[in-house]
Amino acid sequence: MIEARRLHILRAVADHRTVTAAAAALYLTPSAVSQQLTALEQETGHRLVERGAKGVRLTAAGEILLSHTNAVLAQLERAEAELAAYSSGEAGTVTVAAFATGIAQVVAPAVARLAAAAPGIRIRVQDAEGDASLPMVLDRQVDVAVAVEYRGAPPADDPRLTYVPLYAEPFDAVVPVGHRLADAPEVPLAELAKDPWIGPYPGNPCHDVVVLACESAGFQLRLEHSSDDFRAVVALASADAGVALVPRSALRGMDLTGVVVRPVDGVAPTRRVFAAIRRGAEEHPLIRPVLKALGEAAQA
């Protein structure tokens, strides 16, 4: 008989590629993870992982078991949802990980909506970028992630996750007030090819959006200054340190003294924001109201 907790460990090892990283995500010791993998191999009668200098990879048998693991764990999530519904499930805590502007845009309004509509549900919010929050969902560190599409993200048909679209927003060009394009009604990105740029660090999903937009305009940007805080990005632009692309919602309520904000000429770069949960948890009586409140906040 295969134990479900060992399937969790197998998936964590497949996701993180090393025993040490999987152990950290699961709050276990590396030796405990190794022991559980050994026990799982004994239960199945197959070698499931191979260890090498660059980490751990699944064998062919391991890949077969992983495909069933995703289905089994999703079904267990559904079972938990039905059991919680049976026992009413009207009170409890849901942990949501989201990036900063996502918190302001949809998570905080959703918290306010739930306080009125479902006062028994307590929301715990953690600030995390999308590339960090999705692994947190998979590792069961949080229940819901509010994240942004990015290169390398699990695809929409990933069997481990369910995605719920929330909103999409354009990036606007931010240039110093003395910039040669400050008076233009719209800013062609190609005209900024030789400017120094200010933007998020590589790994931040917004960095990918900016880089891809510039590549589509025919050039590779010269990133002179880096910050994941858009207030810092705008402050540097106001100091004439460079130009930037910033999500429109991040500019709301910000001090824009010293800069000009203009829409991008043509097809504007866009970030698409979604909520992600573990596959099978969508009908959980605690998760369902949270997803509904996030959707309503996004529409508002």
Side-chain angles (χ1 to χ4, degrees):
M1 181 69 70
I2 298 174
E3 291 191 21
R5 65 192 178 96
R6 290 176 182 149
L7 296 180
H8 279 292
I9 290 172
L10 178 70
R11 188 161 80 177
V13 169
D15 287 343
H16 294 281
R17 301 297 181 185
T18 70
V19 168
T20 301
L26 297 172
Y27 299 103
L28 297 172
T29 64
S31 61
V33 169
S34 294
Q35 290 170 7
Q36 293 299 318
L37 286 175
T38 299
L40 185 59
E41 289 179 330
Q42 292 172 348
E43 288 173 346
T44 61
H46 291 278
R47 187 179 181 186
L48 302 174
V49 298
E50 292 181 345
R51 293 170 174 81
K54 295 184 178 180
V56 177
R57 70 177 186 87
L58 298 189
T59 63
E63 293 288 354
I64 291 171
L65 183 57
L66 180 64
S67 67
H68 290 284
T69 291
N70 292 327
V72 168
L73 295 184
Q75 190 60 41
L76 287 175
E77 292 283 353
R78 295 185 188 98
E80 290 181 8
E82 289 189 18
L83 287 171
Y86 177 77
S87 60
S88 81
E90 295 178 354
T93 300
V94 176
T95 304
V96 179
F99 57 100
T101 50
I103 293 174
Q105 187 86 347
V106 293
V107 178
V111 169
R113 288 172 181 271
L114 286 166
I121 298 178
R122 176 173 174 261
I123 304 296
R124 291 181 62 247
V125 180
Q126 297 185 22
D127 189 333
E129 292 296 337
D131 57 333
S133 62
L134 293 181
M136 291 168 73
V137 169
L138 290 171
D139 292 335
R140 304 181 69 86
Q141 296 173 9
V142 301
D143 302 303
V144 181
V146 174
V148 179
E149 290 181 356
Y150 62 94
R151 285 189 286 192
D157 60 352
D158 190 294
R160 302 168 297 172
L161 295 166
T162 294
Y163 290 148
V164 180
L166 294 177
Y167 65 94
E169 65 172 326
F171 282 59
D172 288 326
V174 177
V175 301
V177 290
H179 193 273
R180 63 188 181 281
L181 297 177
D183 293 330
E186 296 180 332
V187 173
L189 283 186
E191 296 295 321
L192 301 177
K194 295 183 179 181
D195 285 82
W197 280 73
I198 313 159
Y201 284 99
N204 185 311
C206 289
H207 176 87
D208 289 346
V209 175
V210 174
V211 169
L212 288 172
C214 293
E215 289 176 353
S216 296
F219 69 96
Q220 291 186 338
L221 62 81
R222 176 165 58 93
L223 192 61
E224 190 76 15
H225 309 283
S226 297
S227 175
D228 288 335
D229 187 335
F230 286 116
R231 289 171 299 180
V233 170
V234 171
L236 286 168
S238 71
D240 203 17
V243 300
L245 289 175
V246 177
R248 188 165 292 173
S249 66
L251 295 167
R252 292 174 185 161
M254 193 181 294
D255 181 5
L256 300 177
T257 304
V259 298
V260 171
V261 177
R262 294 288 185 264
V264 173
D265 183 33
V267 179
T270 301
R271 69 172 174 182
R272 292 171 176 80
V273 180
F274 57 87
I277 55 173
R278 291 180 293 277
R279 182 69 63 91
E282 48 267 69
E283 291 305 316
H284 192 289
L286 294 178
I287 301 294
R288 188 173 59 248
V290 173
L291 294 177
K292 182 175 183 289
L294 289 170
E296 291 172 346
Q299 292 174 5

